Structure formats: structure tokens, C-alpha cells
Amino acid sequence: MSTAAAESVGAPKGGASAAVLEIDDLHVTFKTEDGPVYAVRGVDLAVHESEVLGVVGESGSGKSVTMLAAMGLLPRTATITGSVKFRGHELLGLEQGDVRRYRGSKLAMIFQDPLTALNPVLKVGDQIAEAVLAHQEVSGNEATAKAIQMLDLVGIPQPATRADQYPHEFSGGMRQRAMIAMAICNDPEVLIADEPTTALDVTIQAQILEVIQEVQELTKSAVVFITHDLGVIARLATRVRVLYAGRSAEVGNVDDIFENPGHPYTVGLMSSIPRGDGSRLRPIPGSPPNMLAPPSGCAFRPRCPYSAEICEVEVPALRLVGKNDQLAACHFSEQLMGHWDVEG
């Protein structure tokens, strides 16, 4: 099965809508003093209307770079090939002015660190109003009113007062809420959340996840949630795509993958989730590969307990392995599904 065919098979069923955002055969390489870094190596991804797609993987798996490429936010040191389409319109290769028409209005991003994403010398309300004015033909007063409305929507108390404050006057959780408000102020059709709870404590993390969930249900926007935590995906997402070393390892419905994962890397991620029953966590042995020189064959081979000779020489294709169009890129998925040691 071709990659494109596999991607169409992996789409949600039951009268699902067409893809809003389609990424096809995306490759991203960064020039460095030590040589080229192969950050993304042929990723395909489709996001459909009103769905929550989880993109999961360790640091360096390519998940954030993939979505930054879609947003047109990668530095000039990046070489990008492939295709990124919003409702059929190609975004790669557009002039920056044309990209900006999509970015912020059609596609929006919640960044991982709001303290660096927000301008420290501008009031929070002014920053949100500026985003409104960039994409809507409204007056300054109307943009300010919209900013206050958005702050209220994401649960910031006394939004009119808070809009007149600077980012350093907000707590970490409040800054992240402000970032969400800025991202949704132009009613984007795709909202990309790049590990938005990483720097927050557990209680605030839960609150931010709840805000994102409520916003998605209210606006019906599609959400791409980037994380290393499958526990978060179990709570939020309807579909999940697991990335490893710049390639897709597995894709499918969340329930199917949690019930019977098709890739040993997914199993490793699941075994790393705290269960609350006193069982020991089992971290994945080893480290992600050096993307200056990715290993031959299956990139997960050096860390995989099921590795065999074929894994050293042949890159496993993403293919059907389970029910409901579950896809995995492992030579031995069929033999091992149902026999993985997830519990430890």
C-alpha cells in the first residue's frame, strides 16, 4: 500500500469530513556545522474537521518541526520538501505575505513557552487585539473588546483588568490561557497545541487541558495536540499519530491503539505512563537516534527487544495491521499484536 493510500485509510470513518490540513511526504533538513540534521523524513498527516489528533513522540521525533513547517515558522536553515495543503491550497513555497493570510486566521498555534511567545513590553490585551486587527476589518475598540471576550472565554477572571496588564504580571497558567485566547481570537479552523502544559504543575496542567477541550467543543475547530505523554492523548484525542526519528511509527483511533498497539515504540510509551496501582514504570532503554546519522533500516531497532536481521536493512512501511484501519510501521506487528508486554 502506498503512503498516500495508507493515509486515506487511516482517516476517521463514519461519515467523516474531508481533511482540513494535509501533509504529504514532508521532509525537513537543517544545515548545521556538523552536517545536515534529518529532522523529518517523509511524514504524512491529515487533520479532519472537528477532530482532535494527537501527535506523540519523544524529544527529537519530529512532531513539533512537522507542525512548525505547516505554519511556515521554520528558520531559513531548514530545507523543506513535500506538500502542506490547507483545504487543497498548497502552503509550501508561498511568499511570507501569503503564508500570513493563513497563519493566525486559518491555522493557529499555542506555543510551549508563553513567557517567550508573548511580548514582555506589550500589554496582554493589546497583543491579542493586534492579532485580531491583523486578520479582521474592525476598529481598535472592537479589537480590544474581542481581546477581553477571549480572555473571559478561556477562564481568566476580571478579563478587562487583566487585559491591561503585562505578561510578567500573569502566572504561568494564566499566561498559557492568554496564549490560547490569542490563538483562537480569529476563529481558526486548525488549532495546533505544541506541548502547552510542559512547564506547568500538575493541577494547572489539568486546567489548561480542560480549557483546550472546552474551546474545541465550542468552536468545533480541528485540534492537533503535540505531546510526549500518551496519558494526555487518552484524555483529549480521537486519533493518534506516533512519530519516531522523523517518521510515522503508528496511527489509528486512540481506543484501538491503547487496546492493542501495533508498534514496539508505542508499547514503550504506554509502559512509561504512571498507572496509580503501584506498578513500576518501564522507561524505554537507550536514547533516540542522532539525526545527523540516523540508523539504517528501522530507526527504533537499537532500542527494540524484538529486533531481527530484517530490521537492520529494511525500513518498515506504514501499513494496515489491526481493526478500524490501524496502521503501524513494524515488520512484526501481526505476530506480536496481542502479545506485547505492556503491563510490565
Side-chain angles (χ1 to χ4, degrees):
M1 179 181 296
S2 69
T3 304
E7 181 62 37
S8 64
V9 168
K13 299 299 181 183
S17 58
V20 182
L21 179 67
E22 294 178 275
I23 297 174
D24 182 44
D25 195 27
L26 183 71
H27 291 254
V28 179
T29 306
F30 293 99
K31 297 178 182 178
T32 73
E33 293 180 355
D34 297 321
V37 175
Y38 303 97
V40 178
R41 304 186 294 162
V43 166
D44 299 278
L45 184 150
V47 189
H48 297 79
E49 290 180 353
S50 302
E51 80 162 331
V52 180
L53 172 68
V55 180
V56 188
E58 295 169 287
S59 296
S61 63
K63 53 191 189 299
S64 294
V65 173
T66 295
M67 301 317 300
L68 287 169
M71 291 286 294
L73 291 173
L74 290 178
R76 293 181 179 179
T77 54
T79 300
I80 308 169
T81 62
S83 174
V84 176
K85 292 181 179 178
F86 175 82
R87 293 201 179 278
H89 298 283
E90 182 62 59
L91 302 185
L92 288 189
L94 290 180
E95 297 293 332
Q96 275 299 312
D98 295 324
V99 173
R100 291 191 190 102
R101 291 208 303 268
Y102 289 92
R103 187 170 61 224
S105 59
K106 304 299 184 182
L107 307 169
M109 197 163 192
I110 306 167
F111 294 96
Q112 186 174 137
D113 184 2
L115 192 58
T116 57
L118 291 168
N119 190 326
V121 300
L122 291 180
K123 294 176 181 179
V124 170
D126 290 343
Q127 295 186 56
I128 299 173
E130 184 179 23
V132 174
L133 290 168
H135 296 283
Q136 300 181 37
E137 294 183 1
V138 296
S139 67
N141 288 338
E142 289 172 323
T144 298
K146 178 77 170 181
I148 295 170
Q149 178 188 358
M150 292 297 99
L151 290 174
D152 184 46
L153 180 65
V154 298
I156 291 183
Q158 299 178 306
T161 300
R162 288 293 189 173
D164 202 39
Q165 294 179 334
Y166 293 91
H168 73 269
E169 298 179 86
F170 281 43
S171 67
M174 296 281 270
R175 282 194 292 266
Q176 196 56 276
R177 288 172 187 259
M179 282 298 303
I180 295 171
M182 187 181 300
I184 65 173
C185 67
N186 291 303
D187 302 316
E189 295 184 54
V190 179
L191 181 63
I192 300 166
D194 186 8
E195 302 207 51
T197 62
T198 296
L200 305 175
D201 65 49
V202 175
T203 302
I204 304 301
Q205 283 183 17
Q207 294 175 3
I208 295 301
L209 293 177
E210 186 175 344
V211 168
I212 292 173
Q213 196 167 25
E214 290 175 352
V215 164
Q216 193 277 331
E217 292 172 356
L218 179 67
T219 63
K220 304 302 180 185
S221 60
V223 174
V224 181
F225 199 99
I226 302 169
T227 182
H228 63 276
D229 188 347
L230 272 175
V232 171
I233 295 303
R235 172 177 174 175
L236 287 182
T238 48
R239 281 196 308 137
V240 59
R241 178 171 292 270
V242 180
L243 297 186
Y244 186 78
R247 289 192 174 121
S248 295
E250 185 160 9
V251 59
N253 296 331
V254 169
D255 291 342
D256 294 333
I257 287 180
F258 271 78
E259 179 184 341
N260 195 11
H263 196 285
Y265 179 57
T266 310
V267 174
L269 293 175
M270 292 175 63
S271 299
S272 302
I273 301 174
R275 300 183 179 277
D277 59 2
S279 59
R280 295 180 60 186
L281 298 181
R282 288 192 304 152
I284 302 171
S287 301
N290 180 356
M291 298 311 290
L292 283 164
S296 61
C298 176
F300 190 61
R301 168 181 52 81
R303 308 172 72 186
C304 181
Y306 307 98
S307 177
E309 185 176 348
I310 189 175
C311 305
E312 299 181 20
V313 295
E314 185 175 324
V315 177
L318 191 67
R319 55 194 174 82
L320 281 168
V321 296
K323 62 182 181 181
N324 298 326
D325 301 328
Q326 182 179 349
L327 310 171
C330 175
H331 294 298
F332 302 106
S333 292
E334 291 88 349
Q335 296 94 311
L336 294 170
M337 286 178 74
H339 304 286
W340 303 112
D341 180 15
V342 179
E343 299 295 336

